Amino acid sequence: MTNSNKTICVVWTGKEKQIIKKMNLSKEGQDVQILVLLLGKRDQKVNVDIFVNHAKSRTQSRVVVKGVLFDRAQAEVNGRVSIEKGAVDSKAWLEAKLLLLSEKASGRVEPNLEICENEVVAGHATTVGQVNEEELFYLMSRGLPTETATRLLVRGFLSSILAEFPSSYKIYEKLEKRLSHI
Amino acid sequence: MKNIKTNYKYGFSKPETETFRTPKGLDKKIVEAISGYKKEPEWMRDFRFKSLEIFKQKAMPGWGADLSGINFDDLYYYINPSEKKFRDWKDVPTDIKDTYEKIGIPQAERLFLAGVGAQYDSEMIYHSLKTQWEKQGVIFLGTDTALQKYPEVFKQYFGKVVPPDDNKFAALNSAVWSGGSFVYVPAGVQVTIPLQAYFRINAANMGQFERTLIIAEEGSFVHYVEGCTAPIYTTDSLHSAVVEIVVKRGARVRYTTIQNWSSNVYNLVTKRMLVEEEGVGEWIDGNLGSKKTMKYPSVVLQGKGAKGEILSLAMAGAGQHQDAGGKAIHLAPYTTSTITSKSISMGGGRSSYRGLVKIINGAKGSKSFVRCDALLLDDLSRSDTYPTNIVREQNVTLGHEATVSRVGEEQLFYLMSRGLSETQATSLIVNGFIEPIVKELPLEYAVELNRLINMSMEGSVG
């Protein structure tokens, strides 16, 4: 049996209104990773809809959405991961984390799981919030101005997902461009 | 009581027996009859009429459990088994006593209760309240009696936390409500022993629409416990309650429910608390029985520093769908909420966590954490998680985590190698899984719950 691995990467910098990714894992042992990075500013809005269906056994999915929202930017993330009956030994992970960098930024996260098989491992985690005040305070007490400290914390928040993107996405450049905004 | 309309003409002749029962089905005449029979003030009758209109207009929910099996025309909306209100245990009819004996109420009464409101069909028939609390000004009455005795307080709060247009079933309850409990705790009073009420459905096709209203004045504390057990019937029944709670500044209210309706009951309940500044509102909600449950206890945190906690436990066996969860609405700064959900699906049952956390703009410094864990005991069952998290404010912390798993083979193997049977081992693991919620229950409930789980494990494993 051959394993088929696939990684889907999405970077949003405000152009699209909607991002839809659908994956049906219909081959035994199929693997998918969906990585979504959201960098929103001004009045940019995005709806992210991700659907993953595990139809066969030993399938694996990992969905990670990380977003940084400036100004009045808004993000709505809807994820739905289903595991069909019979898709034994499957694994699913769904993660959505949003960082709000302005008072007017807002987010909505709906990570749904529908599990019809018991021999599986499935989980999700979401967070929505601002940069950690204590960390910010620590950096500032070391002499960094607020802006630099915030930039550092944003880079830290995104570092795990950034490292997973292929270099062709020029993701660091996009991020730095957006961070210069702070 | 001058505002009570006395010249009301009954829409129905009073039956010769002691029992008053409306015919099957629901229309304005039925609502009028219920209101008239209870000799309600005009405002309440109008409220019922208005609610009935809303009920007719509202569509059935297009999400959650499948409710297509409910036939609203085939239900009784009001039955009163006994005209008498009992103040003393010895005056309670023997057959009712026997039923409660089986559920274990008498001991609980002696040991743990302060006052008991036992609902037999639609009326509170037994009530006792310890004199010390009467002296402190605590009111614990059947909702119908409270409307007659304390019309002003009642009108001030009734229908304010859950208005009739909130949802179709809140409208239905508002139109035909009957029974339930009314609790009023004056400022600064700490009610140290939980108030308990047992509800039962026991006539076939009987819909129960109890209405509970709890008001905790500033700095007070009360723990209200509600449990349900129902015998088995052949036809479907509907239970659609509304619980409204007002937690004033610095007060704390805890509301515990163990729902164990028989497996033909549709259990569709709206429960909500309004929590003012520095107040604490807690829901402990266990759903074990019923055919379909849709219940999402809510905390509306409207005062600065208010706190809400929801513990939800759901067990779905064969033919059951438990669609349960919780809602936390943060409307003020520095409010905090936690939602913990534990669900178990087995024998082809389905349990869903459905939840909402909303933090509005301006609710700065608010924090919310949601954790839901699901245990799937076999490959026939299903588990879902439908959380919605909305944040409109930057300065907040919101976290959500969920896991779905089965009973670990290694854990099972270990326990069985120590001499436990598979059933015993599974029961032990399941009891461990729900322990964070069980430890918050009053003792007799925890014992009852453990027994129930052990009972339902028998035959489900192996």
Side-chain angles (χ1 to χ4, degrees), chain B residues 198-231:
Chain B
Y198 268 75
F199 296 97
R200 301 189 56 219
I201 290 179
N202 79 348
N205 290 316
M206 175 59 198
Q208 276 214 339
F209 305 94
E210 83 261 6
R211 184 97 189 188
T212 291
L213 181 57
I214 299 175
I215 299 138
E217 292 285 358
E218 289 189 12
S220 64
F221 167 71
V222 66
H223 181 186
Y224 183 85
V225 184
E226 170 211 333
C228 312
T229 357

PDB file of all heavy atoms in Angstrom, chain B residues 198-231:
ATOM      1  N   TYR B 198     -37.769  17.374  42.432  1.00  0.00           N
ATOM      2  CA  TYR B 198     -37.772  16.240  41.511  1.00  0.00           C
ATOM      3  C   TYR B 198     -38.942  16.406  40.554  1.00  0.00           C
ATOM      4  O   TYR B 198     -40.042  16.730  40.954  1.00  0.00           O
ATOM      5  CB  TYR B 198     -37.933  14.920  42.270  1.00  0.00           C
ATOM      6  CG  TYR B 198     -36.625  14.290  42.635  1.00  0.00           C
ATOM      7  CD1 TYR B 198     -35.864  14.805  43.669  1.00  0.00           C
ATOM      8  CD2 TYR B 198     -36.143  13.199  41.940  1.00  0.00           C
ATOM      9  CE1 TYR B 198     -34.651  14.243  44.007  1.00  0.00           C
ATOM     10  CE2 TYR B 198     -34.940  12.623  42.267  1.00  0.00           C
ATOM     11  CZ  TYR B 198     -34.195  13.150  43.305  1.00  0.00           C
ATOM     12  OH  TYR B 198     -33.006  12.589  43.632  1.00  0.00           O
ATOM     13  N   PHE B 199     -38.653  16.253  39.306  1.00  0.00           N
ATOM     14  CA  PHE B 199     -39.725  16.374  38.329  1.00  0.00           C
ATOM     15  C   PHE B 199     -40.018  15.014  37.726  1.00  0.00           C
ATOM     16  O   PHE B 199     -39.128  14.227  37.489  1.00  0.00           O
ATOM     17  CB  PHE B 199     -39.298  17.316  37.209  1.00  0.00           C
ATOM     18  CG  PHE B 199     -39.061  18.704  37.677  1.00  0.00           C
ATOM     19  CD1 PHE B 199     -37.787  19.143  37.970  1.00  0.00           C
ATOM     20  CD2 PHE B 199     -40.128  19.562  37.816  1.00  0.00           C
ATOM     21  CE1 PHE B 199     -37.575  20.425  38.409  1.00  0.00           C
ATOM     22  CE2 PHE B 199     -39.913  20.854  38.249  1.00  0.00           C
ATOM     23  CZ  PHE B 199     -38.638  21.287  38.546  1.00  0.00           C
ATOM     24  N   ARG B 200     -41.252  14.776  37.446  1.00  0.00           N
ATOM     25  CA  ARG B 200     -41.588  13.518  36.812  1.00  0.00           C
ATOM     26  C   ARG B 200     -42.625  13.723  35.727  1.00  0.00           C
ATOM     27  O   ARG B 200     -43.497  14.560  35.832  1.00  0.00           O
ATOM     28  CB  ARG B 200     -42.183  12.542  37.823  1.00  0.00           C
ATOM     29  CG  ARG B 200     -41.292  12.209  38.979  1.00  0.00           C
ATOM     30  CD  ARG B 200     -41.914  11.084  39.754  1.00  0.00           C
ATOM     31  NE  ARG B 200     -42.136   9.972  38.847  1.00  0.00           N
ATOM     32  CZ  ARG B 200     -43.210   9.209  38.890  1.00  0.00           C
ATOM     33  NH1 ARG B 200     -44.156   9.443  39.738  1.00  0.00           N
ATOM     34  NH2 ARG B 200     -43.328   8.216  38.053  1.00  0.00           N
ATOM     35  N   ILE B 201     -42.516  12.934  34.708  1.00  0.00           N
ATOM     36  CA  ILE B 201     -43.600  12.863  33.738  1.00  0.00           C
ATOM     37  C   ILE B 201     -44.211  11.509  33.989  1.00  0.00           C
ATOM     38  O   ILE B 201     -43.520  10.513  33.958  1.00  0.00           O
ATOM     39  CB  ILE B 201     -43.049  12.851  32.302  1.00  0.00           C
ATOM     40  CG1 ILE B 201     -42.477  14.196  31.948  1.00  0.00           C
ATOM     41  CG2 ILE B 201     -44.146  12.472  31.327  1.00  0.00           C
ATOM     42  CD1 ILE B 201     -41.897  14.224  30.546  1.00  0.00           C
ATOM     43  N   ASN B 202     -45.507  11.401  34.262  1.00  0.00           N
ATOM     44  CA  ASN B 202     -45.991  10.040  34.410  1.00  0.00           C
ATOM     45  C   ASN B 202     -47.358   9.732  33.847  1.00  0.00           C
ATOM     46  O   ASN B 202     -47.941   8.722  34.148  1.00  0.00           O
ATOM     47  CB  ASN B 202     -45.804   9.518  35.832  1.00  0.00           C
ATOM     48  CG  ASN B 202     -46.852  10.021  36.756  1.00  0.00           C
ATOM     49  OD1 ASN B 202     -47.587  10.912  36.404  1.00  0.00           O
ATOM     50  ND2 ASN B 202     -46.929   9.437  37.928  1.00  0.00           N
ATOM     51  N   ALA B 203     -47.883  10.562  32.992  1.00  0.00           N
ATOM     52  CA  ALA B 203     -49.063  10.145  32.245  1.00  0.00           C
ATOM     53  C   ALA B 203     -48.641  10.076  30.784  1.00  0.00           C
ATOM     54  O   ALA B 203     -47.886  10.909  30.315  1.00  0.00           O
ATOM     55  CB  ALA B 203     -50.184  11.148  32.408  1.00  0.00           C
ATOM     56  N   ALA B 204     -49.123   9.061  30.078  1.00  0.00           N
ATOM     57  CA  ALA B 204     -48.733   8.902  28.678  1.00  0.00           C
ATOM     58  C   ALA B 204     -49.119  10.154  27.910  1.00  0.00           C
ATOM     59  O   ALA B 204     -50.137  10.778  28.177  1.00  0.00           O
ATOM     60  CB  ALA B 204     -49.423   7.688  28.085  1.00  0.00           C
ATOM     61  N   ASN B 205     -48.320  10.537  26.944  1.00  0.00           N
ATOM     62  CA  ASN B 205     -48.554  11.698  26.101  1.00  0.00           C
ATOM     63  C   ASN B 205     -48.539  13.025  26.848  1.00  0.00           C
ATOM     64  O   ASN B 205     -48.996  14.033  26.340  1.00  0.00           O
ATOM     65  CB  ASN B 205     -49.891  11.593  25.370  1.00  0.00           C
ATOM     66  CG  ASN B 205     -49.831  10.526  24.324  1.00  0.00           C
ATOM     67  OD1 ASN B 205     -48.851  10.432  23.587  1.00  0.00           O
ATOM     68  ND2 ASN B 205     -50.849   9.699  24.274  1.00  0.00           N
ATOM     69  N   MET B 206     -48.072  12.996  28.035  1.00  0.00           N
ATOM     70  CA  MET B 206     -48.100  14.206  28.831  1.00  0.00           C
ATOM     71  C   MET B 206     -46.904  15.086  28.514  1.00  0.00           C
ATOM     72  O   MET B 206     -45.774  14.645  28.588  1.00  0.00           O
ATOM     73  CB  MET B 206     -48.080  13.803  30.311  1.00  0.00           C
ATOM     74  CG  MET B 206     -47.984  14.959  31.258  1.00  0.00           C
ATOM     75  SD  MET B 206     -49.367  16.066  31.036  1.00  0.00           S
ATOM     76  CE  MET B 206     -48.713  17.504  31.849  1.00  0.00           C
ATOM     77  N   GLY B 207     -47.165  16.293  28.142  1.00  0.00           N
ATOM     78  CA  GLY B 207     -46.067  17.223  27.936  1.00  0.00           C
ATOM     79  C   GLY B 207     -45.875  18.010  29.211  1.00  0.00           C
ATOM     80  O   GLY B 207     -46.824  18.445  29.830  1.00  0.00           O
ATOM     81  N   GLN B 208     -44.667  18.170  29.618  1.00  0.00           N
ATOM     82  CA  GLN B 208     -44.430  18.964  30.818  1.00  0.00           C
ATOM     83  C   GLN B 208     -43.738  20.257  30.471  1.00  0.00           C
ATOM     84  O   GLN B 208     -42.750  20.276  29.757  1.00  0.00           O
ATOM     85  CB  GLN B 208     -43.599  18.179  31.823  1.00  0.00           C
ATOM     86  CG  GLN B 208     -44.469  17.276  32.669  1.00  0.00           C
ATOM     87  CD  GLN B 208     -43.946  17.156  34.067  1.00  0.00           C
ATOM     88  OE1 GLN B 208     -42.780  17.406  34.321  1.00  0.00           O
ATOM     89  NE2 GLN B 208     -44.797  16.782  34.983  1.00  0.00           N
ATOM     90  N   PHE B 209     -44.261  21.329  30.981  1.00  0.00           N
ATOM     91  CA  PHE B 209     -43.771  22.650  30.602  1.00  0.00           C
ATOM     92  C   PHE B 209     -43.490  23.469  31.847  1.00  0.00           C
ATOM     93  O   PHE B 209     -44.119  24.497  32.080  1.00  0.00           O
ATOM     94  CB  PHE B 209     -44.806  23.338  29.712  1.00  0.00           C
ATOM     95  CG  PHE B 209     -45.168  22.503  28.516  1.00  0.00           C
ATOM     96  CD1 PHE B 209     -46.268  21.663  28.544  1.00  0.00           C
ATOM     97  CD2 PHE B 209     -44.375  22.543  27.387  1.00  0.00           C
ATOM     98  CE1 PHE B 209     -46.581  20.868  27.451  1.00  0.00           C
ATOM     99  CE2 PHE B 209     -44.684  21.751  26.292  1.00  0.00           C
ATOM    100  CZ  PHE B 209     -45.785  20.918  26.317  1.00  0.00           C
ATOM    101  N   GLU B 210     -42.616  22.971  32.691  1.00  0.00           N
ATOM    102  CA  GLU B 210     -42.419  23.701  33.926  1.00  0.00           C
ATOM    103  C   GLU B 210     -41.561  24.935  33.684  1.00  0.00           C
ATOM    104  O   GLU B 210     -40.813  25.033  32.726  1.00  0.00           O
ATOM    105  CB  GLU B 210     -41.843  22.825  35.042  1.00  0.00           C
ATOM    106  CG  GLU B 210     -40.356  22.649  35.018  1.00  0.00           C
ATOM    107  CD  GLU B 210     -39.967  21.338  34.379  1.00  0.00           C
ATOM    108  OE1 GLU B 210     -40.853  20.630  33.865  1.00  0.00           O
ATOM    109  OE2 GLU B 210     -38.770  21.040  34.395  1.00  0.00           O
ATOM    110  N   ARG B 211     -41.716  25.857  34.596  1.00  0.00           N
ATOM    111  CA  ARG B 211     -41.114  27.164  34.451  1.00  0.00           C
ATOM    112  C   ARG B 211     -40.448  27.490  35.777  1.00  0.00           C
ATOM    113  O   ARG B 211     -41.123  27.535  36.803  1.00  0.00           O
ATOM    114  CB  ARG B 211     -42.240  28.158  34.180  1.00  0.00           C
ATOM    115  CG  ARG B 211     -41.773  29.535  33.920  1.00  0.00           C
ATOM    116  CD  ARG B 211     -41.697  29.764  32.440  1.00  0.00           C
ATOM    117  NE  ARG B 211     -41.037  31.035  32.182  1.00  0.00           N
ATOM    118  CZ  ARG B 211     -40.972  31.566  30.978  1.00  0.00           C
ATOM    119  NH1 ARG B 211     -41.527  30.982  29.947  1.00  0.00           N
ATOM    120  NH2 ARG B 211     -40.338  32.702  30.795  1.00  0.00           N
ATOM    121  N   THR B 212     -39.175  27.703  35.762  1.00  0.00           N
ATOM    122  CA  THR B 212     -38.494  27.995  37.010  1.00  0.00           C
ATOM    123  C   THR B 212     -37.879  29.381  36.960  1.00  0.00           C
ATOM    124  O   THR B 212     -37.323  29.792  35.947  1.00  0.00           O
ATOM    125  CB  THR B 212     -37.438  26.904  37.300  1.00  0.00           C
ATOM    126  OG1 THR B 212     -38.123  25.693  37.604  1.00  0.00           O
ATOM    127  CG2 THR B 212     -36.553  27.266  38.474  1.00  0.00           C
ATOM    128  N   LEU B 213     -38.030  30.091  38.061  1.00  0.00           N
ATOM    129  CA  LEU B 213     -37.531  31.462  38.147  1.00  0.00           C
ATOM    130  C   LEU B 213     -36.765  31.595  39.462  1.00  0.00           C
ATOM    131  O   LEU B 213     -37.309  31.324  40.524  1.00  0.00           O
ATOM    132  CB  LEU B 213     -38.729  32.433  38.094  1.00  0.00           C
ATOM    133  CG  LEU B 213     -38.487  33.928  38.147  1.00  0.00           C
ATOM    134  CD1 LEU B 213     -37.560  34.373  37.028  1.00  0.00           C
ATOM    135  CD2 LEU B 213     -39.822  34.667  38.042  1.00  0.00           C
ATOM    136  N   ILE B 214     -35.498  31.953  39.359  1.00  0.00           N
ATOM    137  CA  ILE B 214     -34.687  32.105  40.563  1.00  0.00           C
ATOM    138  C   ILE B 214     -34.109  33.513  40.591  1.00  0.00           C
ATOM    139  O   ILE B 214     -33.517  33.961  39.610  1.00  0.00           O
ATOM    140  CB  ILE B 214     -33.547  31.057  40.609  1.00  0.00           C
ATOM    141  CG1 ILE B 214     -34.135  29.638  40.631  1.00  0.00           C
ATOM    142  CG2 ILE B 214     -32.633  31.278  41.827  1.00  0.00           C
ATOM    143  CD1 ILE B 214     -33.104  28.526  40.551  1.00  0.00           C
ATOM    144  N   ILE B 215     -34.300  34.187  41.708  1.00  0.00           N
ATOM    145  CA  ILE B 215     -33.737  35.522  41.849  1.00  0.00           C
ATOM    146  C   ILE B 215     -32.841  35.532  43.083  1.00  0.00           C
ATOM    147  O   ILE B 215     -33.295  35.254  44.190  1.00  0.00           O
ATOM    148  CB  ILE B 215     -34.842  36.584  41.993  1.00  0.00           C
ATOM    149  CG1 ILE B 215     -35.724  36.572  40.738  1.00  0.00           C
ATOM    150  CG2 ILE B 215     -34.258  37.976  42.192  1.00  0.00           C
ATOM    151  CD1 ILE B 215     -37.176  36.686  41.037  1.00  0.00           C
ATOM    152  N   ALA B 216     -31.568  35.820  42.863  1.00  0.00           N
ATOM    153  CA  ALA B 216     -30.628  35.891  43.983  1.00  0.00           C
ATOM    154  C   ALA B 216     -30.200  37.344  44.127  1.00  0.00           C
ATOM    155  O   ALA B 216     -29.515  37.894  43.269  1.00  0.00           O
ATOM    156  CB  ALA B 216     -29.427  34.993  43.734  1.00  0.00           C
ATOM    157  N   GLU B 217     -30.635  37.964  45.222  1.00  0.00           N
ATOM    158  CA  GLU B 217     -30.306  39.367  45.447  1.00  0.00           C
ATOM    159  C   GLU B 217     -28.825  39.524  45.802  1.00  0.00           C
ATOM    160  O   GLU B 217     -28.130  38.542  46.037  1.00  0.00           O
ATOM    161  CB  GLU B 217     -31.190  39.945  46.567  1.00  0.00           C
ATOM    162  CG  GLU B 217     -32.662  40.063  46.208  1.00  0.00           C
ATOM    163  CD  GLU B 217     -32.982  41.221  45.246  1.00  0.00           C
ATOM    164  OE1 GLU B 217     -32.058  41.982  44.876  1.00  0.00           O
ATOM    165  OE2 GLU B 217     -34.154  41.355  44.856  1.00  0.00           O
ATOM    166  N   GLU B 218     -28.374  40.760  45.876  1.00  0.00           N
ATOM    167  CA  GLU B 218     -26.954  41.065  46.082  1.00  0.00           C
ATOM    168  C   GLU B 218     -26.317  40.254  47.211  1.00  0.00           C
ATOM    169  O   GLU B 218     -26.846  40.168  48.311  1.00  0.00           O
ATOM    170  CB  GLU B 218     -26.778  42.564  46.386  1.00  0.00           C
ATOM    171  CG  GLU B 218     -27.022  43.409  45.157  1.00  0.00           C
ATOM    172  CD  GLU B 218     -26.646  44.878  45.369  1.00  0.00           C
ATOM    173  OE1 GLU B 218     -25.998  45.184  46.379  1.00  0.00           O
ATOM    174  OE2 GLU B 218     -27.011  45.682  44.505  1.00  0.00           O
ATOM    175  N   GLY B 219     -25.178  39.667  46.890  1.00  0.00           N
ATOM    176  CA  GLY B 219     -24.380  38.986  47.902  1.00  0.00           C
ATOM    177  C   GLY B 219     -24.968  37.693  48.442  1.00  0.00           C
ATOM    178  O   GLY B 219     -24.471  37.144  49.416  1.00  0.00           O
ATOM    179  N   SER B 220     -26.023  37.179  47.829  1.00  0.00           N
ATOM    180  CA  SER B 220     -26.638  35.957  48.355  1.00  0.00           C
ATOM    181  C   SER B 220     -26.069  34.728  47.659  1.00  0.00           C
ATOM    182  O   SER B 220     -25.321  34.827  46.692  1.00  0.00           O
ATOM    183  CB  SER B 220     -28.152  36.010  48.167  1.00  0.00           C
ATOM    184  OG  SER B 220     -28.469  36.031  46.794  1.00  0.00           O
ATOM    185  N   PHE B 221     -26.425  33.550  48.186  1.00  0.00           N
ATOM    186  CA  PHE B 221     -25.992  32.307  47.565  1.00  0.00           C
ATOM    187  C   PHE B 221     -27.088  31.261  47.660  1.00  0.00           C
ATOM    188  O   PHE B 221     -27.723  31.091  48.698  1.00  0.00           O
ATOM    189  CB  PHE B 221     -24.718  31.764  48.239  1.00  0.00           C
ATOM    190  CG  PHE B 221     -24.412  30.335  47.846  1.00  0.00           C
ATOM    191  CD1 PHE B 221     -23.975  30.046  46.564  1.00  0.00           C
ATOM    192  CD2 PHE B 221     -24.607  29.289  48.750  1.00  0.00           C
ATOM    193  CE1 PHE B 221     -23.730  28.728  46.183  1.00  0.00           C
ATOM    194  CE2 PHE B 221     -24.353  27.966  48.372  1.00  0.00           C
ATOM    195  CZ  PHE B 221     -23.914  27.699  47.079  1.00  0.00           C
ATOM    196  N   VAL B 222     -27.299  30.553  46.576  1.00  0.00           N
ATOM    197  CA  VAL B 222     -28.234  29.435  46.616  1.00  0.00           C
ATOM    198  C   VAL B 222     -27.798  28.364  45.623  1.00  0.00           C
ATOM    199  O   VAL B 222     -27.229  28.657  44.568  1.00  0.00           O
ATOM    200  CB  VAL B 222     -29.691  29.901  46.333  1.00  0.00           C
ATOM    201  CG1 VAL B 222     -29.860  30.409  44.906  1.00  0.00           C
ATOM    202  CG2 VAL B 222     -30.695  28.777  46.601  1.00  0.00           C
ATOM    203  N   HIS B 223     -28.020  27.112  46.010  1.00  0.00           N
ATOM    204  CA  HIS B 223     -27.743  25.992  45.121  1.00  0.00           C
ATOM    205  C   HIS B 223     -29.069  25.272  44.903  1.00  0.00           C
ATOM    206  O   HIS B 223     -29.695  24.805  45.845  1.00  0.00           O
ATOM    207  CB  HIS B 223     -26.712  25.055  45.780  1.00  0.00           C
ATOM    208  CG  HIS B 223     -26.356  23.876  44.905  1.00  0.00           C
ATOM    209  ND1 HIS B 223     -25.557  22.856  45.337  1.00  0.00           N
ATOM    210  CD2 HIS B 223     -26.676  23.566  43.629  1.00  0.00           C
ATOM    211  CE1 HIS B 223     -25.411  21.961  44.361  1.00  0.00           C
ATOM    212  NE2 HIS B 223     -26.084  22.371  43.319  1.00  0.00           N
ATOM    213  N   TYR B 224     -29.489  25.224  43.665  1.00  0.00           N
ATOM    214  CA  TYR B 224     -30.754  24.584  43.336  1.00  0.00           C
ATOM    215  C   TYR B 224     -30.476  23.287  42.592  1.00  0.00           C
ATOM    216  O   TYR B 224     -29.658  23.257  41.679  1.00  0.00           O
ATOM    217  CB  TYR B 224     -31.587  25.528  42.468  1.00  0.00           C
ATOM    218  CG  TYR B 224     -32.961  24.990  42.138  1.00  0.00           C
ATOM    219  CD1 TYR B 224     -34.023  25.174  43.012  1.00  0.00           C
ATOM    220  CD2 TYR B 224     -33.186  24.303  40.958  1.00  0.00           C
ATOM    221  CE1 TYR B 224     -35.286  24.675  42.720  1.00  0.00           C
ATOM    222  CE2 TYR B 224     -34.440  23.797  40.652  1.00  0.00           C
ATOM    223  CZ  TYR B 224     -35.485  23.991  41.539  1.00  0.00           C
ATOM    224  OH  TYR B 224     -36.712  23.496  41.235  1.00  0.00           O
ATOM    225  N   VAL B 225     -31.121  22.221  43.014  1.00  0.00           N
ATOM    226  CA  VAL B 225     -30.871  20.924  42.402  1.00  0.00           C
ATOM    227  C   VAL B 225     -32.161  20.376  41.822  1.00  0.00           C
ATOM    228  O   VAL B 225     -33.201  20.361  42.482  1.00  0.00           O
ATOM    229  CB  VAL B 225     -30.311  19.913  43.435  1.00  0.00           C
ATOM    230  CG1 VAL B 225     -29.970  18.597  42.749  1.00  0.00           C
ATOM    231  CG2 VAL B 225     -29.077  20.476  44.108  1.00  0.00           C
ATOM    232  N   GLU B 226     -32.076  19.928  40.596  1.00  0.00           N
ATOM    233  CA  GLU B 226     -33.255  19.409  39.921  1.00  0.00           C
ATOM    234  C   GLU B 226     -32.885  18.068  39.309  1.00  0.00           C
ATOM    235  O   GLU B 226     -31.844  17.931  38.678  1.00  0.00           O
ATOM    236  CB  GLU B 226     -33.647  20.409  38.830  1.00  0.00           C
ATOM    237  CG  GLU B 226     -34.692  19.953  37.871  1.00  0.00           C
ATOM    238  CD  GLU B 226     -34.494  20.581  36.493  1.00  0.00           C
ATOM    239  OE1 GLU B 226     -33.929  21.679  36.401  1.00  0.00           O
ATOM    240  OE2 GLU B 226     -34.882  19.945  35.512  1.00  0.00           O
ATOM    241  N   GLY B 227     -33.699  17.074  39.538  1.00  0.00           N
ATOM    242  CA  GLY B 227     -33.413  15.770  38.953  1.00  0.00           C
ATOM    243  C   GLY B 227     -34.661  15.174  38.352  1.00  0.00           C
ATOM    244  O   GLY B 227     -35.758  15.447  38.810  1.00  0.00           O
ATOM    245  N   CYS B 228     -34.493  14.433  37.315  1.00  0.00           N
ATOM    246  CA  CYS B 228     -35.662  13.844  36.665  1.00  0.00           C
ATOM    247  C   CYS B 228     -35.502  12.337  36.529  1.00  0.00           C
ATOM    248  O   CYS B 228     -34.458  11.859  36.115  1.00  0.00           O
ATOM    249  CB  CYS B 228     -35.846  14.383  35.250  1.00  0.00           C
ATOM    250  SG  CYS B 228     -35.734  16.145  35.102  1.00  0.00           S
ATOM    251  N   THR B 229     -36.542  11.603  36.834  1.00  0.00           N
ATOM    252  CA  THR B 229     -36.592  10.182  36.505  1.00  0.00           C
ATOM    253  C   THR B 229     -38.000   9.923  36.020  1.00  0.00           C
ATOM    254  O   THR B 229     -38.945  10.420  36.578  1.00  0.00           O
ATOM    255  CB  THR B 229     -36.335   9.273  37.724  1.00  0.00           C
ATOM    256  OG1 THR B 229     -36.063  10.105  38.816  1.00  0.00           O
ATOM    257  CG2 THR B 229     -35.198   8.328  37.478  1.00  0.00           C
ATOM    258  N   ALA B 230     -38.145   9.178  34.993  1.00  0.00           N
ATOM    259  CA  ALA B 230     -39.496   8.952  34.482  1.00  0.00           C
ATOM    260  C   ALA B 230     -39.701   7.490  34.159  1.00  0.00           C
ATOM    261  O   ALA B 230     -38.797   6.835  33.677  1.00  0.00           O
ATOM    262  CB  ALA B 230     -39.735   9.796  33.246  1.00  0.00           C
ATOM    263  N   PRO B 231     -40.899   7.001  34.433  1.00  0.00           N
ATOM    264  CA  PRO B 231     -41.201   5.623  34.042  1.00  0.00           C
ATOM    265  C   PRO B 231     -41.340   5.512  32.514  1.00  0.00           C
ATOM    266  O   PRO B 231     -41.340   6.517  31.828  1.00  0.00           O
ATOM    267  CB  PRO B 231     -42.533   5.328  34.728  1.00  0.00           C
ATOM    268  CG  PRO B 231     -43.113   6.628  35.081  1.00  0.00           C
ATOM    269  CD  PRO B 231     -42.018   7.629  35.128  1.00  0.00           C
TER     270      PRO B 231
END
